[in-house]
Amino acid sequence: MLLVLSTYADAWLTQDLRERPQPEVAAENAPRLSAALKRISELTESEIDPGDPTKHARPTVEGFADLLVEGAEYDDSWSTFEVPARWRRLMKLVAGESEGEDYESTTEHPVRYALVRRGDQVVGYLWAAVGDEAAGYEPRTAAGDEAFEAGVPWVLSLRSLRLRGFRPMAALNELLGASDSSGSDSIVETTVYEAASLDALEELSGRC
């Protein structure tokens, strides 16, 4: 008999799925998982065969390895996996062929950004690089699907400005205070902030 047990939660891990430490959560729940696995093994008279490691965790016979001492292999799944997935999701919502029409989507330079707001909620960040040809929109994870929907008109606005010859910082300045009339009812605030890197802004957008 083959029994497959899968879990899609982080209640047994010492870090949650965004790599935030949660040792107290693991300390309470990991022993329960270990006891359950042992009991299932006894009832089925079969050995536990841990699954393959994933970007978030390494299964073991007793549950999951302690990621706080596991090393660097699992410490940056946000940048490695989630950020590209978020960008692909956003671009799927944007109509039209974008090859060669958009600003660069990555940069090693600091970035300046403005909050994109829908009502009282911040849904994302419109940004431009200081020093190269990169600019874009970062959806704010806490805003859910709304963050991606609201970002579409701003991606299109950036595309239009690039085709008109605007450099990234000029494009950002052009959109400060602008409101979207396509249905998302979002606005770009006028205050400009600076992040040390795009990674730092992505961290901000994804973890708060």
Side-chain angles (χ1 to χ4, degrees):
M1 179 179 66
L2 174 65
L3 176 64
V4 178
L5 176 64
S6 300
T7 177
Y8 297 93
D10 56 9
W12 301 280
L13 305 181
T14 51
Q15 296 181 101
D16 68 15
L17 298 184
R18 294 184 189 164
E19 291 80 49
R20 294 174 296 196
Q22 52 173 22
E24 297 85 1
V25 173
E28 181 175 353
N29 293 315
R32 297 173 180 172
L33 177 62
S34 180
L37 290 172
K38 180 179 179 181
R39 183 58 176 155
I40 291 171
S41 179
E42 293 171 348
L43 290 173
T44 60
E45 297 182 347
S46 60
E47 295 183 359
I48 297 174
D49 181 16
D52 295 329
T54 72
K55 61 188 179 184
H56 294 300
R58 180 169 65 83
T60 69
V61 171
E62 296 182 345
F64 294 97
D66 183 353
L67 299 188
L68 293 178
V69 297
E70 188 66 7
E73 183 176 358
Y74 301 100
D75 67 1
D76 194 23
S77 67
W78 170 253
S79 295
T80 305
F81 299 97
E82 305 301 338
V83 169
R86 282 153 51 92
W87 178 248
R88 289 192 297 270
R89 177 182 174 186
L90 175 61
M91 295 310 292
K92 283 182 179 179
L93 298 175
V94 179
E97 177 59 45
S98 63
E99 185 174 355
E101 296 186 355
D102 292 321
Y103 294 104
E104 296 295 325
S105 60
T106 61
T107 179
E108 298 299 323
H109 293 270
V111 299
R112 291 179 183 156
Y113 66 93
L115 307 183
V116 178
R117 190 177 294 276
R118 201 174 188 182
D120 294 332
Q121 179 174 227
V122 175
V123 293
Y125 308 88
L126 199 66
W127 63 270
V130 180
D132 64 16
E133 297 302 310
Y137 169 85
E138 273 298 318
R140 178 173 171 257
T141 295
D145 292 343
E146 194 172 1
F148 292 87
E149 296 165 2
V152 172
W154 302 114
V155 171
L156 292 173
S157 293
L158 286 172
R159 182 179 297 173
S160 174
L161 290 169
R162 182 181 184 278
L163 293 174
R164 289 164 55 191
F166 281 70
R167 297 291 300 277
M169 283 305 306
L172 176 62
N173 291 332
E174 181 74 8
L175 294 175
L176 295 178
S179 58
D180 165 55
S181 59
S182 70
S184 75
D185 298 322
S186 58
I187 63 169
V188 180
E189 293 192 345
T190 57
T191 302
V192 176
Y193 304 90
E194 184 162 330
S197 64
L198 180 56
D199 285 345
L201 179 59
E202 290 168 344
E203 179 82 5
L204 175 67
S205 69
R207 299 176 189 254
C208 68

